[in-house]
Amino acid sequence: MMDYRNKLVLAPMVRVGTLPFRMLAAQYGADITYGEEIIDHKIIKCERRVNDVLGTTDIVEKGTDNVVFRTCPEERNRVVFQMGTSDAMRALKAAEIVCKDVAAVDVNMGCPRSFSISGGMGAALLSKPELIHDILTTLRRNLDVPITCKIRLLKYPQDTVELARRIETTGVSALAVHGRKVPDRPRDPAKWDEIADVAAALSIPVIANGDVFEYEDFQRIRDATDASSVMVARGAIWNASIFSSEGKIPWEDVKREYVRKSILWDNDIKSTKHTLKEMIAHYSSLGLPEGLAVIKSDTLADLAKLYGEEEYYEYVSESRRKQMT
């Protein structure tokens, strides 16, 4: 079973949280790594395939080679599958496809993007406590893995606490709380005091999320909120070695290591490019040569060349060819 106390956690991030980035964060010290949110509708059209060449388990859209979720045995005890859903039975059907290969299943109740909300998912669930109860209870009763969810703050602190208490009664193993409300923007400071209200009201572990940018912030948010664990999103994109107690390593090295892992796990090029662009845009500008070269890259081979990893790319490609013959 997963232990949610005193853990450093990689937040779920769309197009970023695929296998190479999760493995990167874990290498630097992340204890629990959430995958990107995947919609239940998408998962139920998939089948599970073992990929002997990569040593991965792939959840693939039936009748295609389109990999929707990829994981590996090495991360089995720390990877959390996060899904978007607005229906208990559909959520269960989706979770049953992945639950043998992950450490826990999380339901997204905090995503403010219009795509999620228009489908009744993400933050739209915050105003539907009965549906939340139905989804979480259904998952809890039918699955052997821990079930968790991630919420945002409601308009009034007492409403957030009340909802969190209701969620606790479903038997979830932990609750992640993003210290922002739905209309808040990332530049608005996270309200750590309102996370503290939730942590004080619950007996299950609360995972605090919001404005963690340095390793020292893990302890600061813990002290401020009394939360059991801490989750980081943007801080990890900007430099995944934020999880390291020994201090950050240069972001140039982090980027190169990310490219290597993308090659190793044959990551979707769109995901790798998106993540690199997020890294570059924070420290530099996408209009400079590096950013423009990333945007122009069409394949992992192009990125290998750009980051001086051609030899590694060749080595990986060659060992794959040998495996397949």
Side-chain angles (χ1 to χ4, degrees):
M1 286 301 267
M2 283 270 264
D3 175 13
Y4 286 94
R5 298 189 188 272
N6 298 316
K7 296 292 187 276
L8 307 185
V9 185
L10 176 69
M13 291 181 282
V14 170
R15 306 235 307 271
V16 174
T18 55
L19 181 56
F21 196 82
R22 298 194 303 267
M23 296 296 277
L24 184 72
Q27 176 176 312
Y28 294 131
D31 302 301
I32 299 173
T33 52
Y34 282 58
E36 60 171 345
E37 177 201 21
I38 300 174
I39 306 305
D40 56 7
H41 286 287
K42 205 165 182 180
I43 290 290
I44 59 181
K45 296 192 187 109
C46 291
E47 61 190 10
R48 177 183 184 273
R49 286 187 208 159
V50 173
N51 185 327
D52 291 321
V53 176
L54 293 179
T56 57
T57 303
D58 296 348
I59 307 298
V60 185
E61 217 172 304
K62 286 178 193 154
T64 72
D65 289 325
N66 179 21
V67 176
V68 173
F69 179 72
R70 170 170 284 161
T71 184
C72 66
E74 199 183 324
E75 68 163 4
R76 169 76 180 72
N77 295 324
R78 63 171 180 261
V79 62
V80 177
F81 179 81
Q82 194 196 54
M83 77 173 140
T85 186
S86 57
D87 178 89
M89 290 321 291
R90 201 169 54 235
L92 177 59
K93 205 173 158 188
E96 282 172 338
I97 297 172
V98 296
C99 66
K100 306 267 185 295
D101 301 294
V102 298
V105 171
D106 183 87
V107 179
N108 179 343
M109 299 184 183
C111 181
R113 293 198 325 261
S114 58
F115 164 73
S116 275
I117 292 187
S118 63
M121 302 175 288
L125 288 171
L126 295 174
S127 56
K128 299 176 186 162
E130 289 79 18
L131 181 53
I132 288 178
H133 191 271
D134 191 22
I135 292 169
L136 295 175
T137 309
T138 301
L139 293 174
R140 271 282 295 114
R141 286 191 186 141
N142 293 285
L143 299 173
D144 290 334
V145 294
I147 306 300
T148 58
C149 63
K150 180 169 189 259
I151 65 169
R152 278 183 174 244
L153 301 174
L154 299 180
K155 192 172 178 187
Y156 302 108
Q158 64 269 29
D159 293 344
T160 311
V161 169
E162 197 178 316
L163 177 66
R165 284 201 171 117
R166 255 196 109 154
I167 288 170
E168 183 175 42
T169 65
T170 64
V172 293
S173 300
L175 173 67
V177 183
H178 183 172
R180 289 185 176 83
K181 297 168 188 184
V182 173
D184 289 348
R185 301 275 53 94
R187 63 176 174 274
D188 298 321
K191 299 172 178 72
W192 289 1
D193 55 328
E194 295 190 29
I195 302 176
D197 295 340
V198 174
L202 302 192
S203 54
I204 58 168
V206 167
I207 305 168
N209 172 222
D211 291 349
V212 174
F213 303 118
E214 304 293 339
Y215 185 80
E216 294 68 42
D217 294 339
F218 285 120
Q219 197 52 51
R220 285 181 49 236
I221 190 171
R222 236 189 224 139
D223 292 343
T225 61
D226 212 16
S228 302
S229 292
V230 180
M231 177 182 272
V232 56
R234 288 176 299 159
I237 298 184
W238 298 338
N239 190 324
S241 64
I242 185 173
F243 293 104
S244 170
S245 55
E246 283 147 37
K248 284 184 188 165
I249 65 169
W251 76 293
E252 296 294 345
D253 299 344
V254 175
K255 272 184 305 190
R256 203 168 299 119
E257 187 56 35
Y258 173 65
V259 168
R260 288 168 70 100
K261 285 189 165 30
S262 289
I263 293 165
L264 182 63
W265 301 110
D266 195 23
N267 197 44
D268 175 60
I269 183 71
K270 291 194 288 291
S271 158
T272 297
K273 281 176 65 168
H274 173 79
T275 306
L276 285 169
K277 287 193 298 193
E278 292 274 326
M279 292 176 178
I280 294 162
H282 178 65
Y283 285 101
S284 155
S285 154
L286 288 170
L288 293 173
E290 181 190 359
L292 293 170
V294 167
I295 291 165
K296 278 217 310 266
S297 296
D298 292 322
T299 61
L300 290 172
D302 294 341
L303 291 174
K305 194 170 176 187
L306 177 61
Y307 287 98
E309 292 292 346
E310 296 105 318
E311 266 185 44
Y312 183 73
Y313 183 85
E314 275 315 310
Y315 162 74
V316 171
S317 305
E318 182 55 35
S319 52
R320 262 180 218 153
R321 279 193 290 273
K322 279 183 187 149
Q323 263 185 291
M324 291 169 86
T325 52

